Amino acid sequence: MAPSLDDESSLFNFVVRDGNGVKGIVDSGISKVPRPYIQPPAEQINKKNASKCEIPPIDLSKLDGPEHDEVANQIVRAAETLGFFQVVNHGVPIQLLDALKQTAHNFFGLPAERKAVYRKEVSPSPLVKYGTSFVPEKEKALEWKDYISMAYTNENEALQQWPMECRDVALQYLKTSHEMVKKLLDALMANLGVELDDSNIDAFIGKKMVNMNFYPTCPNPEFTVGVGRHSDMGTLTILLQDGIGGLYVKVPEDIDMEKKGEWVEIPPIPGALVINIGDMLQIWSNGRYKSAEHRVRTTSTKSRVSIPIFTSPQATQKVAPLPQVVEKDGMAHYREFLFSDYMNSFFGNAHDGKKSLDFAKVNFS
């Protein structure tokens, strides 16, 4: 039975505790967005005002040929400016990308009780969490999104503990994208004077997670958001988006680009993957690379899915600006910290732009 839209605790229990998610509200036949999901006017996304990001995708197959340096420079330039770029010829089979999108739709189409077993409070595995919004108990307005999150430790545990409905394709996605992630990180780190090899790569991407996000159709997409303004906390995010669109990135104020301070849409490109820089890369680079502030709009026409892979250091890893970069810059703009402490801060607050980085900033005043 549908909850009362005027009773916030009833709605919250129906969506969060009972595992129905936002999809459950939509399936109940609502005709307007419930009040807890209405964002303040400043957070609402006006589709008419936003332009599309016209930067062409980077052809990763050229990294292995005579154009290596030119392509590596394109990757570095993107990391230093928008913090977002798209890649093609990345080595992940197109059939797998199509299967991932279909699998995500299938998973979120399951009955609520099948998904609810993976809610954080009751999940049979610490690796798997089904949820909605970001931190519902901390947010002033909820996000119009459901998700399943699958942390990777090793293949055996993934096979045993990830949901069988999406386990195999998610694992394949993680494995086939690993070489691409290494190549991207190699180019970015080489530019900072760090050589990557098997002995040190885990310090940067030792922790991995696959999420499947579901953004149900929304009767009033102009009033709510799929995901609020934030940057990702880790190293690199690899994102598969479907053809519907709705991903927006903020052009930083402090770079030499058009549209400074504006939000631009990252248009879906068939077969492409979206790469974005996370907070850890901004910190290691002492601010040269920009973690991308981004958000997601909802749509009234068709449910949207996206499937990100989040890479980050292990929880026990110490993080600080790289000494090679600090030496050139003359000072460190961020302090040293344990990544687990950064994670606790990140997940302890609602999305609020790039405020997550304040945790590590050195205050010079």
Side-chain angles (χ1 to χ4, degrees), residues 90-260:
H90 39 63
V92 184
I94 302 299
Q95 302 94 308
L96 176 59
L97 301 183
D98 290 340
L100 278 160
K101 289 181 275 192
Q102 188 56 55
T103 299
H105 278 288
N106 294 348
F107 178 82
F108 290 101
L110 291 171
E113 57 271 19
R114 292 271 295 281
K115 296 176 284 189
V117 297
Y118 291 109
R119 282 190 309 111
K120 182 181 179 182
E121 297 78 10
V122 297
S123 179
S125 167
L127 304 180
V128 183
K129 178 187 165 189
Y130 166 73
T132 185
S133 202
F134 179 60
V135 189
E137 59 277 11
K138 292 278 182 86
E139 290 163 337
K140 293 181 181 135
L142 298 170
E143 298 174 341
W144 198 261
K145 176 188 85 165
D146 301 328
Y147 68 89
I148 182 85
S149 171
M150 296 166 279
Y152 180 82
T153 46
N154 59 61
E155 188 159 351
N156 280 345
E157 286 195 339
L159 287 169
Q160 288 168 16
Q161 298 182 40
W162 288 9
M164 59 176 287
E165 293 89 354
C166 44
R167 174 190 67 201
D168 294 338
V169 287
L171 200 49
Q172 195 64 21
Y173 180 39
L174 193 68
K175 285 158 69 176
T176 54
S177 65
H178 183 64
E179 198 56 38
M180 172 191 64
V181 174
K182 276 170 56 179
K183 286 180 180 179
L184 292 170
L185 193 59
D186 191 52
L188 291 165
M189 285 297 166
N191 180 60
L192 300 177
V194 175
E195 196 173 322
L196 277 190
D197 57 37
D198 290 344
S199 69
N200 67 356
I201 193 164
D202 270 6
F204 302 106
I205 55 167
K207 182 180 169 71
K208 301 175 188 72
M209 182 181 287
V210 183
N211 276 24
M212 288 185 170
N213 299 325
F214 185 74
Y215 305 97
T217 52
C218 180
N220 316 103
E222 65 279 12
F223 293 146
T224 186
V225 297
V227 182
R229 300 176 295 110
H230 73 290
S231 54
D232 291 345
M233 69 172 178
T235 304
L236 284 171
T237 302
I238 293 82
L239 176 77
L240 169 63
Q241 60 170 341
D242 63 15
I244 294 167
L247 173 62
Y248 290 81
V249 180
K250 191 173 187 181
V251 182
E253 302 271 8
D254 59 345
I255 59 164
D256 184 21
M257 273 184 88
E258 289 179 23
K259 303 173 183 165
K260 286 183 188 185

Side-chain angles (χ1 to χ4, degrees), residues 189 191-195 200 203-204 280-288 317-336:
M189 285 297 166
N191 180 60
L192 300 177
V194 175
E195 196 173 322
N200 67 356
F204 302 106
M280 293 308 104
L281 264 179
Q282 177 160 333
I283 290 165
W284 280 314
S285 69
N286 207 27
R288 292 187 193 190
Q317 182 72 42
K318 285 184 177 176
V319 176
L322 294 163
Q324 303 91 314
V325 187
V326 174
E327 194 178 334
K328 280 185 185 171
D329 294 350
M331 66 176 69
H333 298 297
Y334 304 92
R335 63 182 179 85
E336 184 178 82

